[in-house]
Structure formats: structure tokens, C-alpha cells
């Protein structure tokens, strides 16, 4: 197990560029299973979750050719799934590897569409509460797939000779559920209509990539997708967007411990309301072209609603605020002037990390598993250094921000969680002036 030793109190100054988007990369990498022709994807992040998925594709017979550029994040990788090992796809070893990797669930749709069958087991990932797969199953079922539970292996076999297009109203706007159903539906006979589809930029990117491969998907960017089934997809090239969660994390760092930070090439039009969420906490953000510039924030004052009531920041499906940034917003709010209610609606365990911030001196009231009230210190009281452990990717980066702002030396254990979503984070932040050591 690795850990970070952080000496707090060192301001960040300079320019940083976000990596490719983790969530988009997982989707489009799995989509390469839909064709036997080469697919080249640019700007794939060099992070644990993505690398583990790429290794899993190699294990099932996908040819993978990697070209690195510099430290890594502008990676060009070509995938060719022209000789898949179908027997390995049924093996216990494959099932065990899928169980350890949340992103493996995105392989089900492409394998079902192209091979007519797949095996499902409960995937791993963050321990942030219940993350059900019902939306995926209901979508596949609507397309005509059948499930069979194999009790002794605790897996489900899913199969269909020929998927057939159907109308479906998703029970929730699940991002991975929508992506999986889209990838299954591209080969379905007839037309598939998906209502209440997730429509975040990474889903849009997946749809654009599939269309460039020969799919026929309409309604991209809306919550009503119409997919006309085709018989074959072809090779293509695709460029992954910057990671909006990393952009938000850098905004939070710059607000807490920045002395002038520029975040380059953020794809502003795909950030949605993320910058405005930080502005509601009083953080000043300047826009210069496609860059965000965050000047030093000696004080930032939490906004209030027009009627004077306490500011509330809540997650919601796109174009609402992504739940992945609420942990960062909580940390930033600890040094604001004023109070804010953070309402995490989607996951019931994601706010439990605030006890670590309370131990550092933050004023936070955890109302219940979904709501926390943060009373800002207005920089009159600095957080205390502490030994902590990262429970998930986003809480881990939030604790890292807190440690960088604290007096003294902090230690964060279990940083493998942070590595799952952030590439060479200590090296990139140390280049801006942070003092972070990996041990």
C-alpha cells in the first residue's frame, strides 16, 4: 500500500493541463469491441482504472498498440478486436477480473451485441453506496436478451440470438446503463428508442464515435435517443475530452491554496455548470479562451439565494451538477465565508469522509447520509494536519486538497484509490509548488 506525505501551506502557482476523461475513456474503449477493424483513440489517461480495463481487453484477445507522448496523458492507443478468445470470456479468471473493476460492466453491451452472449458479475469500484445494475438489465431485456443465473459461480449468463429494437423508458438516467444499452442497440434489428437517457458530454462523445463507425444514432445531446440498427461497424479515430472532474478538482485546489493557477484547454462548453457551482461559493474564475484562470482567493464569500435562504448545492443528472465534485466542493466550503448545504442525492455513503475533515478542524454538520452543512472558517482557522485514508477516488482528492491547505505534515493512506482516477497527481502538483511525497 502506498501513501502520500503532504507538507501543507505551500501555494500553487502556474499552469496545469487536465488529463483525458476517465469516464469517457472507459466507454469508448469498450466500444472498440463492436468492430473487427482498428480503432485509434487519442488522449487516453494513464490511470489505474483505464489501464486495468485495457489489460482486460488484451486478456480476451484484443490487439492493443500504445504510443506514449511525454508523461502520458496524450496517449494514442489503437485497438483491434478481430480475434476474441470466446472460451476465456466464459472462464472463472475473466469473471474474477471483472468483479475487481467497475468499468468492466461496460463490456457487456458490446459483447452481447457482437457475440450474442456475455457473463455478468457484480463489478468492483468505489465503496460509496449501492450502485445497482437494474437499468442495464432492464434495457438488455427490452432488446430481447435472456438471463440465466448460475448459482455456484454467482454470475448471470445473458444471451440473445438477435437483439430487436424496442422502446424503453429508463428507470433512471444511468450513465453507464445508457452507454451499455446504446452499444447493445447499434446491432439490434429495427429501431431502438431510449427515453430518459443520460446525456452528459461523455455519452455524446460515445454516440459521435459510434456514428463515425457506421452507427445511426439520433438525438445526441438530448434524453431521447433513437438508434437504427446496422449490421456492421468499421474502424475510426476518436479524441477523448478533458476530464471535467479533474478540472473541477483543480479549481478547488486553486481556490484553497492557489496563488494564481491557469487550467489549460478545459473544453469549457462541456463543463456545464461546474464553474458556476464554485462561483456560488464565492470563488473567482476568469475565462480566457478555453482556459480557466483562478487568481489567489484571499477570501471567498458564499452566495445566497434571492430570498436570502442558505445556499444549497445538490447533485443531479446532466446538465445538473455531477456528484463526483461534491467532495471537492465540501473542502472548498470549509474556508469560505458563510454556510452551505451540500445535498448528495445519488449515493448514501459518499459523505462519510467528512469525519476526517472534522478531525482536521472543519465545521461540518452531517445531517444524514445525504446532507451536510458546512460552516466556513473564512480562513481565520487553518485546518490541522492529520493521518487519513482515502475511501474512494473523489474523497481521496478532497482529502489531498485539505492536506495541502493544512499546517504541518499529513499522511493519506490507500492512495491507490486516487491513482484510479488521477494520473501522476503528485508530480503534476509538485510542479506547481506543492510538497507531496509518495511513500
Amino acid at each position: 500500500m502506498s501513501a502520500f506525505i503532504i507538507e501543507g501551506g505551500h501555494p500553487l502557482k502556474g499552469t496545469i493541463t487536465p488529463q483525458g476523461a476517465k469516464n469517457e475513456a472507459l466507454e469508448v474503449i469498450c466500444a472498440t469491441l463492436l468492430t473487427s477493424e482498428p480503432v485509434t483513440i487519442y488522449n487516453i489517461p494513464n490511470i489505474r482504472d483505464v489501464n486495468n480495463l485495457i489489460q482486460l481487453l488484451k486478456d480476451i484477445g484484443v490487439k492493443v498498440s500504445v504510443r506514449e507522448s511525454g508523461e502520458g496523458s496524450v496517449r494514442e492507443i489503437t485497438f483491434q478486436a478481430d480475434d476474441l478468445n470466446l472460451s476465456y470470456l466464459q472462464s472463472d479468471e475473466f469473471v474474477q477480473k471483472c468483479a475487481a473493476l467497475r468499468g468492466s460492466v461496460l463490456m457487456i453491451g458490446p459483447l452481447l451485441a457482437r457475440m450474442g452472449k456475455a457473463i455478468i458479475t457484480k463489478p468492483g469500484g468505489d465503496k460509496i453506496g449501492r450502485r445497482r445494475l437494474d437499468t442495464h438489465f432492464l434495457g438488455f431485456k427490452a432488446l430481447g436478451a435472456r438471463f440465466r443465473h448460475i448459482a455456484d459461480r454467482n454470475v448471470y449468463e445473458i444471451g440473445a440470438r438477435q437483439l430487436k429494437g424496442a422502446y424503453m423508458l429508463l428507470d433512471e438516467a444511468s450513465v453507464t446503463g445508457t452507454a451499455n444499452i446504446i452499444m447493445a442497440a447499434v446491432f439490434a434489428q429495427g429501431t431502438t428508442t431510449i427515453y430518459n437517457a443520460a446525456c452528459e458530454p461523455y455519452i455524446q462523445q460515445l454516440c459521435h464515435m459510434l456514428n463515425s463507425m457506421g452507427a445511426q444514432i439520433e438525438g445526441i445531446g438530448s434524453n431521447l435517443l433513437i438508434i437504427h440498427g446496422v449490421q456492421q461497424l468499421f474502424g475510426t479515430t476518436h479524441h477523448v475530452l478533458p476530464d471535467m472532474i479533474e478540472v473541477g478538482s483543480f479549481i478547488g485546489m486553486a481556490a484553497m491554496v492557489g496563488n494564481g493557477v491557469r487550467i489549460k484547454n478545459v473544453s469549457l462548453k462541456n463543463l456545464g455548470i461546474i464553474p458556476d457551482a464554485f462561483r456560488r461559493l464565492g470563488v473567482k474564475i476568469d475565462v480566457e479562451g478555453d482556459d480557466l484562470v483562478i487568481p489567489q482567493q484571499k477570501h471567498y464569500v458564499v452566495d445566497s439565494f434571492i430570498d436570502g435562504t442558505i445556499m444549497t448545492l445538490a447533485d443531479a443528472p446532466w446538465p445538473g451538477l455531477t456528484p463526483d465534485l461534491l467532495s471537492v466542493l465540501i473542502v472548498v466550503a470549509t474556508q469560505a465565508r458563510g454556510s452551505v448545504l451540500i445535498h448528495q442525492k445519488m449515493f448514501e455513503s459518499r459523505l462519510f469522509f467528512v469525519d476526517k475533515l472534522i478531525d482536521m478542524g472543519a465545521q461540518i454538520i452531517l445531517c444524514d447520509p445525504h446532507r451536510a452543512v458546512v460552516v466556513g472558517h473564512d480562513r481565520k482557522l487553518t485546518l490541522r494536519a492529520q493521518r487519513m485514508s482515502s475511501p474512494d477516488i473523489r474523497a481521496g482528492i478532497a482529502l489531498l486538497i485539505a492536506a495541502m491547505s493544512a499546517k504541518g505534515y499529513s499522511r493519506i493512506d490507500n492512495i491507490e484509490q486516487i491513482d484510479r482516477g488521477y494520473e501522476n497527481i503528485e508530480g503534476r502538483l509538485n510542479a506547481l509548488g506543492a510538497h507531496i511525497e509518495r511513500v
Side-chain angles (χ1 to χ4, degrees):
M1 283 262 182
S2 299
F4 282 148
I5 305 296
I6 306 104
E7 182 183 6
H10 295 279
L12 305 181
K13 185 177 180 64
T15 299
I16 193 165
T17 302
Q19 67 190 24
K22 170 199 167 189
N23 291 338
E24 179 188 342
L26 296 175
E27 294 173 13
V28 297
I29 287 171
C30 289
T32 65
L33 292 169
L34 288 164
T35 180
S36 61
E37 296 187 6
V39 177
T40 300
I41 305 175
Y42 300 89
N43 201 31
I44 293 181
N46 190 1
I47 55 177
R48 184 181 294 265
D49 272 11
V50 170
N51 292 339
N52 286 345
L53 179 63
I54 292 171
Q55 183 57 52
L56 192 57
L57 263 63
K58 287 182 179 178
D59 292 342
I60 66 173
V62 178
K63 299 180 181 70
V64 177
S65 174
V66 182
R67 290 183 60 189
E68 300 281 357
S69 175
E71 279 283 316
S73 69
V74 185
R75 286 200 297 174
E76 172 190 330
I77 305 184
T78 299
F79 302 85
Q80 187 166 10
D82 60 345
D83 187 21
L84 297 183
N85 185 344
L86 297 182
S87 61
Y88 184 77
L89 287 168
Q90 305 295 319
S91 69
D92 289 337
E93 182 181 340
F94 175 71
V95 169
Q96 290 167 4
K97 288 185 176 181
C98 289
L101 177 63
R102 178 75 189 176
S104 66
V105 73
L106 288 161
M107 297 171 62
I108 300 169
L111 289 173
L112 177 62
R114 186 171 167 204
M115 302 300 167
K117 60 182 178 180
I119 283 188
I120 301 172
T121 186
K122 186 177 181 181
D126 288 328
K127 302 299 184 279
I128 55 176
R130 189 170 60 100
R131 303 177 77 176
R132 61 189 181 87
L133 297 178
D134 298 56
T135 304
H136 305 243
F137 294 170
L138 292 171
F140 297 147
K141 214 169 181 181
L143 294 173
R146 295 188 176 186
F147 295 81
R148 183 170 70 92
H149 184 233
I150 305 175
D152 58 335
R153 299 178 67 192
N154 194 27
V155 297
Y156 285 90
E157 276 190 356
I158 175 173
R161 289 184 179 177
Q162 173 65 64
L163 296 175
K164 296 186 183 298
Y167 171 88
M168 62 187 79
L169 173 61
L170 301 189
D171 60 332
E172 65 172 351
S174 164
V175 176
T176 54
T178 299
N180 238 340
I181 296 167
I182 290 169
M183 289 187 282
V186 292
F187 285 160
Q189 192 176 72
T191 298
T192 300
T193 301
I194 308 173
Y195 199 20
N196 194 30
C199 54
E200 67 169 17
Y202 304 145
I203 290 288
Q204 297 175 39
Q205 285 282 96
L206 172 66
C207 291
H208 288 308
M209 174 176 152
L210 291 172
N211 277 354
S212 73
M213 295 167 70
Q216 297 181 24
I217 305 173
E218 302 172 7
I220 300 173
S222 76
N223 69 348
L224 179 62
L225 294 175
I226 299 173
I227 304 166
H228 303 286
V230 297
Q231 293 186 345
Q232 185 179 4
L233 292 183
F234 307 94
T236 192
T237 59
H238 179 78
H239 196 282
V240 174
L241 288 175
D243 195 309
M244 69 170 79
I245 312 304
E246 192 170 76
V247 172
S249 302
F250 292 154
I251 295 173
M253 294 174 189
M256 286 282 281
V257 294
N259 187 24
V261 174
R262 176 184 292 271
I263 310 172
K264 283 193 69 66
N265 303 326
V266 299
S267 188
L268 184 63
K269 67 179 182 179
N270 289 301
L271 290 182
I273 65 172
I274 288 173
D276 287 337
F278 286 94
R279 290 185 178 111
R280 288 187 170 187
L281 294 182
V283 176
K284 180 173 173 56
I285 303 174
D286 297 323
V287 177
E288 296 184 5
D290 207 26
D291 297 353
L292 296 180
V293 178
I294 296 87
Q296 184 181 25
Q297 316 275 324
K298 292 184 177 179
H299 296 278
Y300 45 98
V301 182
V302 178
D303 202 355
S304 61
F305 290 115
I306 293 173
D307 62 0
T309 54
I310 183 172
M311 174 56 59
T312 299
L313 295 176
D315 58 339
W318 183 271
L321 180 62
T322 171
D324 285 346
L325 277 176
L326 290 185
S327 302
V328 173
L329 287 162
I330 287 173
V331 173
V332 174
T334 64
Q335 293 301 321
R337 182 186 301 165
S339 301
V340 60
L341 171 65
I342 303 292
H343 192 173
Q344 162 62 267
K345 298 176 183 177
M346 294 189 179
F347 305 110
E348 63 269 17
S349 304
R350 196 163 229 168
L351 296 184
F352 289 165
F353 85 101
V354 301
D355 62 345
K356 300 174 177 63
L357 298 179
I358 293 170
D359 289 342
M360 298 178 78
Q363 297 185 85
I364 302 175
I365 303 166
L366 187 59
C367 308
D368 55 46
H370 293 279
R371 295 177 302 159
V373 175
V374 185
V375 181
H377 289 310
D378 192 21
R379 298 198 186 276
K380 293 175 182 176
L381 180 64
T382 304
L383 296 178
R384 298 185 295 269
Q386 193 78 301
R387 180 165 184 168
M388 303 164 279
S389 181
S390 173
D392 63 74
I393 302 176
R394 309 310 174 186
I397 204 70
L399 294 175
L400 181 60
I401 297 171
M404 287 193 294
S405 73
K407 287 183 178 178
Y409 288 87
S410 296
R411 179 185 175 107
I412 302 177
D413 294 308
N414 195 30
I415 59 170
E416 286 80 6
Q417 287 284 0
I418 301 175
D419 291 336
R420 289 178 48 220
Y422 294 85
E423 177 184 339
N424 184 28
I425 191 65
E426 75 274 23
R428 296 158 75 199
L429 294 179
N430 286 343
L432 297 182
H435 285 204
I436 306 170
E437 180 186 1
R438 181 184 291 261
V439 296

